[in-house]
C-alpha cells in the first residue's frame, strides 16, 4: 500500500510534458537560426573565393604562367620519425623509391617520349627514296640504345 502511494507521487503530470515540448521547440528554433547564420557565412566565403578559385588559365589570353609550389626545407629523414626503428627504415626506403621514380618519370618524359612518339612521322612511303628508311633507322639506333640503358 505504501508503494502505491509513492508510485502515484512520482508520476509526472501533464504540465511537465508541456514544458519539455516548449523547451524543445525553443531549442529547435535556436538551432534553425544558427544554421541560417552559418549557411550565410559559408555562402559569403564561397562567393569571396569564387573569383580566384574558378579562374582557369587560358593560353590564348595569358601566354605566360607561373607555377608556384611550396618548398619543403626539411629533409625526408626528418619527416620520418617514429618510435619503431624497423618501420622507420621501411618508410625511408619506400619514400626514397618514390622520389627516384618521380625523377625517372620526369627524365623519361623530357628525353624519350617525344623521340618515341614522333619517330617516322611526317614521311610518307611514296616520297621516300630507297634506303632512306634504313638510314633513318640507323640514326635512331643510338637513341634506342640510350633508351634501353635508361
Amino acid at each position: 500500500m505504501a508503494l502505491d502511494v509513492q508510485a502515484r507521487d512520482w508520476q509526472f503530470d501533464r504540465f511537465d510534458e508541456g514544458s519539455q515540448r516548449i523547451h524543445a521547440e525553443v531549442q529547435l528554433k535556436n538551432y534553425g537560426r544558427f544554421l541560417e547564420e552559418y549557411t550565410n557565412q559559408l555562402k559569403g566565403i564561397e562567393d569571396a573565393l569564387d573569383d580566384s578559385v574558378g579562374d582557369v588559365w587560358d593560353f590564348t589570353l595569358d601566354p605566360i604562367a607561373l607555377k608556384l609550389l611550396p618548398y619543403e626545407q626539411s629533409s625526408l629523414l626528418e619527416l620520418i620519425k617514429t618510435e619503431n626503428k624497423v618501420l622507420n627504415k621501411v618508410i625511408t626506403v619506400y619514400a626514397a623509391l618514390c622520389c627516384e621514380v618521380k625523377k625517372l618519370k620526369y627524365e623519361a618524359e623530357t628525353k624519350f617520349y617525344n623521340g618515341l612518339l614522333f619517330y617516322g612521322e611526317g614521311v610518307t612511303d611514296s616520297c621516300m627514296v630507297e634506303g632512306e628508311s634504313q638510314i633513318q633507322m640507323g640514326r635512331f639506333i643510338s637513341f634506342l640504345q640510350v633508351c634501353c640503358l635508361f
Side-chain angles (χ1 to χ4, degrees):
M1 181 119 191
L3 291 175
D4 290 335
V5 172
Q6 283 182 347
R8 277 186 263 138
D9 290 342
W10 287 100
Q11 290 179 354
F12 294 106
D13 59 0
R14 299 230 181 254
F15 178 75
D16 287 339
E17 288 178 9
S19 65
Q20 287 177 352
R21 186 171 34 90
I22 292 171
H23 180 70
E25 288 175 2
V26 168
Q27 289 300 321
L28 188 62
K29 286 179 185 177
N30 288 340
Y31 184 67
R33 205 172 313 121
F34 167 76
L35 282 179
E36 285 179 19
E37 290 174 8
Y38 189 67
T39 303
N40 290 337
Q41 287 178 355
L42 287 179
K43 183 67 174 164
I45 292 171
E46 183 181 6
D47 291 340
L49 291 177
D50 191 31
D51 295 336
S52 63
V53 173
D55 292 341
V56 178
W57 178 66
D58 186 12
F59 182 73
T60 57
L61 299 176
D62 304 318
I64 298 174
L66 295 176
K67 188 174 184 181
L68 301 174
L69 295 174
Y71 178 72
E72 186 68 46
Q73 294 183 353
S74 59
S75 70
L76 186 62
L77 296 175
E78 292 174 1
L79 294 175
I80 303 170
K81 286 187 181 178
T82 63
E83 299 293 324
N84 190 344
K85 299 281 185 187
V86 175
L87 182 63
N88 284 349
K89 291 177 182 178
V90 171
I91 291 175
T92 304
V93 168
Y94 281 125
L97 287 174
C98 286
C99 289
E100 189 171 339
V101 165
K102 188 183 287 187
K103 289 177 184 176
L104 288 173
K105 178 182 175 262
Y106 176 75
E107 185 178 348
E109 287 174 348
T110 55
K111 287 185 178 179
F112 302 114
Y113 279 13
N114 289 335
L116 292 172
L117 283 173
F118 299 120
Y119 172 72
E121 291 291 320
V123 179
T124 60
D125 292 335
S126 63
C127 70
M128 247 189 183
V129 180
E130 188 170 324
E132 184 68 30
S133 61
Q134 287 81 5
I135 293 172
Q136 189 179 14
M137 185 63 190
R139 291 180 185 148
F140 194 62
I141 286 180
S142 63
F143 178 79
L144 290 177
Q145 179 66 31
V146 173
C147 188
C148 182
L149 293 176
F150 173 73

